[in-house]
Amino acid sequence: MIKQIKFVFAVGVLVASGAASATTCANALISFNSCGGSASCEAQIMGFHPECFSSGSNTAAAGKNVQSTSLETMLVVSANAGNRSSAISGPPGKTADSGQRNGLAAGNPAGKWNGWVSVAESDVKYDRGTFKFAGAGADRTNKFDTRIDNFVLGGDYMWSPSLALGLSASFDRGRGSVSSYTIAAPDAAKSVSTSGYSYAPYFGWQITKDWALDGMIGWGKGKSTVTSDATVTSDSKRFFYGTNLGYTRWYGNMQITGKGSYLVGREDNDDSKNNGTVTANTKVSNELRQLRVGAQAAFWMNGIMPYVGLAYANNQISSTATADQQDATAMGAGAYVWSLGANFISVKDAMTGGIGFEQETGRSRSKNNKLMANINVRF
């Protein structure tokens, strides 16, 4: 009975504070502390305002952050591992501008070392429209808009003619806004910033002339900060792994590639801190598993290869967040990813570079656009 009384009191404080004006993180934290350790009460408060607690409390934002950092790192590593065998070459039997024969049929010797750098900027938007939330007393809305920059660099060594071993490091930084409110008492958006780093050993294996496999495993750390009337911070540990199977085939000057990927990224968030004071019982872990299949068509134009591609990505999230928290930030699982760009290839200098744009469509309540660029050198 005492727990039920505390629950009613805490929710009453939150609803009453929002009736006259927008609920702030300070009010949300007061309501949370008024729960007196009641798990159901705390879950309700965190569901009302997930942005005021551990960054993992908003499962949609947590999943998108994992996708734009850990999963993005694995896709970048895979692309650059693939450059080992297929990128610094034209169609079989073609002739480079210098008159030197190049391509798979010419048997160009590969450099033992390979170094590369990649940068990407993801623009992520989420809008959980108006929906009924148990005990909220009114329809609610959850939104966030974040831009995440990811910088990845790496290098590998050709251990054998078909096997390369390497190591990558990545650094990311994000900024944006987030809000959660009742329609009757809309909040001002709260600013949010994120940062993190990771490292990952990887391998690339050229199984046959057309088929290649790569894989990696990585670890890292992250941090998020939400600023409004209170400063809420949370630290996290990262763990990720994945594998990619690729296929490449030339038809004259046309290159067709396909790839299947299974990628897993996990973030374990510590208890959040309110102005430096730990808020107990706010730890949350989120694991994102993505199954991705796609194809790309590129055309050789004497060192320039414009391309267009389409992939399907299905995300599945496992979270220790409560059912209320997950429902408040629910998001569609499947999306199509369109890509458009060009690679620039110098056979003479054993160098490639590229720029591209990706747009994710079809995932309910979410939009994601990405700009990317890379450079790869063998020596």
Side-chain angles (χ1 to χ4, degrees):
M1 176 64 70
I2 294 177
K3 286 188 176 181
Q4 283 83 352
I5 293 174
K6 288 179 177 178
F7 169 75
V8 173
F9 174 74
V11 175
V13 169
L14 186 64
V15 173
S17 64
S21 62
T23 303
T24 63
C25 279
N27 287 331
L29 290 162
I30 290 173
S31 301
F32 182 88
N33 293 326
S34 299
C35 288
S38 168
S40 60
C41 175
E42 291 174 346
Q44 284 275 1
I45 304 303
M46 285 191 288
F48 285 160
H49 286 276
E51 75 279 8
C52 294
F53 299 91
S54 168
S55 60
S57 297
N58 187 322
T59 53
K64 280 300 185 181
N65 186 67
V66 171
Q67 180 177 325
S68 300
T69 56
S70 297
L71 268 61
E72 171 65 18
T73 294
M74 289 188 280
L75 290 172
V76 165
V77 169
S78 178
N80 284 281
N83 283 340
R84 264 292 190 183
S85 57
S86 62
I88 305 180
S89 65
K94 291 294 180 181
T95 304
D97 293 339
S98 63
Q100 176 187 1
R101 286 179 61 79
N102 71 89
L104 302 176
N108 285 341
K112 287 288 187 179
W113 291 96
N114 184 44
W116 51 268
V117 175
S118 177
V119 294
E121 182 178 82
S122 299
D123 190 1
V124 182
K125 298 180 185 296
Y126 174 82
D127 188 345
R128 175 73 159 100
T130 57
F131 67 102
K132 290 291 185 182
F133 188 76
D139 289 346
R140 298 194 66 79
T141 290
N142 283 335
K143 294 183 178 181
F144 66 79
D145 186 345
T146 307
R147 182 165 293 175
I148 300 175
D149 297 320
N150 199 33
F151 176 82
V152 190
L153 71 163
D156 51 69
Y157 179 76
M158 185 65 76
W159 185 263
S160 73
S162 60
L163 179 64
L165 302 177
L167 179 67
S168 71
S170 64
F171 307 89
D172 58 86
R173 187 171 297 275
R175 66 275 186 199
S177 62
V178 62
S179 59
S180 176
Y181 53 85
T182 63
I183 305 305
D187 285 4
K190 305 169 181 67
S191 63
V192 59
S193 61
T194 61
S195 61
Y197 68 88
S198 65
Y199 61 93
Y202 66 90
F203 74 89
W205 176 29
Q206 191 68 30
I207 305 172
T208 68
K209 179 174 67 71
D210 298 329
W211 291 93
L213 179 72
D214 62 78
M216 64 226 69
I217 184 170
W219 299 263
K221 292 185 177 181
K223 182 176 183 178
S224 71
T225 302
V226 175
T227 304
S228 58
D229 55 304
T231 299
V232 180
T233 62
S234 61
D235 298 321
S236 63
K237 296 180 178 64
R238 299 175 177 177
F239 175 65
F240 56 91
Y241 60 90
T243 186
N244 304 272
L245 179 64
Y247 176 82
T248 302
R249 190 71 179 267
W250 285 93
Y251 299 91
N253 285 345
M254 180 78 69
Q255 184 195 60
I256 303 297
T257 60
K259 181 173 288 188
S261 307
Y262 181 68
L263 312 172
V264 180
R266 179 182 177 89
E267 287 214 4
D268 298 318
N269 294 270
D270 295 335
D271 284 329
S272 59
K273 297 179 180 178
N274 173 28
N275 293 327
T277 302
V278 173
T279 304
N281 302 324
T282 56
K283 291 182 179 180
V284 179
S285 295
N286 293 284
E287 181 176 284
L288 174 64
R289 300 178 300 279
Q290 184 179 93
L291 182 63
R292 183 184 180 112
V293 292
Q296 179 179 288
F299 192 80
W300 173 261
M301 300 172 60
N302 291 324
I304 301 176
M305 289 184 66
Y307 67 84
V308 62
L310 173 64
Y312 175 77
N314 185 275
N315 290 353
Q316 297 294 327
I317 298 179
S318 298
S319 178
T320 60
T322 66
D324 284 337
Q325 291 171 269
Q326 294 183 54
D327 178 66
T329 54
M331 182 171 56
Y336 292 97
V337 183
W338 300 87
S339 59
L340 181 69
N343 291 317
F344 307 94
I345 301 169
S346 172
V347 176
K348 179 181 178 181
D349 299 322
M351 179 182 296
T352 66
I355 56 174
F357 171 78
E358 286 187 359
Q359 183 179 59
E360 185 180 275
T361 61
R363 196 187 305 280
S364 59
R365 310 188 186 107
S366 172
K367 294 181 180 179
N368 189 1
N369 296 327
K370 181 173 69 176
L371 288 171
M372 50 197 172
N374 68 83
I375 188 168
N376 185 299
V377 181
R378 292 194 296 193
F379 53 94

